[in-house]
Amino acid sequence: MIIKKIAIGNNSEAFIEERFQNKTNIIFSDDNNKGKTILMQSIVYSIGYDSIWPVGFNPRNYYFYSKISFENIDYEFLRHNNSILVIGNNQNYIFNSITEFKYFLAKEIIPIPNIPKDGQLKISDLSLFYELFFLGQDRRNTSNLIVKSFNNKTDF
């Protein structure tokens, strides 16, 4: 997965970040309240994760766009609330629920592991992705901060 562009906006304000390079990118600022958390949360939110937002930020008022390459194919995602538009591989897709989108993501774009839960294999939640791949600057453990999905440590 290579992140190429992120955008967040509505009819009165917008932010676009497209300085990502095809290598490790570090988002930093010496100051707080500069948008680092919103930028990182927007990446995973645009591809279906229900992020925990900073106090005072209402994601329902914004559109979230990302351009991400999976296995050398660029996909563009546009999310508003629980609706997601996907453009990629010469196709357009519209999803009106996150569950519907998650199964498409796992089947058509990138394999998402199935995890045994209560005797059945279930597709893993994107919160697991966030816990594994994003590290905050404040030494907090991401596994204690996020919205818990249906998995817990006894499942592993």
Side-chain angles (χ1 to χ4, degrees), residues 55-77:
V55 175
F57 182 80
N58 186 354
R60 294 189 135 338
N61 297 334
Y62 293 88
Y63 289 82
F64 298 85
Y65 167 87
S66 63
K67 183 175 185 180
I68 303 173
S69 179
F70 295 93
E71 298 182 7
N72 296 316
I73 299 173
D74 288 346
Y75 290 89
E76 295 176 274
F77 303 90

Side-chain angles (χ1 to χ4, degrees), residues 31-48:
D31 298 321
N32 284 327
N33 300 316
K34 297 297 179 190
K36 298 178 299 290
T37 299
I38 290 175
L39 178 69
M40 299 307 294
Q41 297 289 45
S42 296
I43 294 167
V44 292
Y45 187 76
S46 72
I47 59 170

Side-chain angles (χ1 to χ4, degrees), residues 83-87 91-97 100-101 104:
S83 296
I84 298 179
L85 168 68
V86 179
I87 300 172
Q91 298 281 330
N92 297 334
Y93 307 91
I94 298 175
F95 302 96
N96 292 314
S97 78
E100 178 186 20
F101 168 75
F104 164 81

Side-chain angles (χ1 to χ4, degrees), residues 6-7 13 20 23 44 50 65 69 81 101 105-106 118 129 137 144 150-151:
I6 299 296
E13 63 181 330
F20 296 107
K23 56 185 176 180
V44 292
D50 284 326
Y65 167 87
S69 179
N81 297 326
F101 168 75
L105 185 68
D118 301 327
F129 169 78
Q137 67 182 13
N144 293 330
F150 55 82
N151 294 108

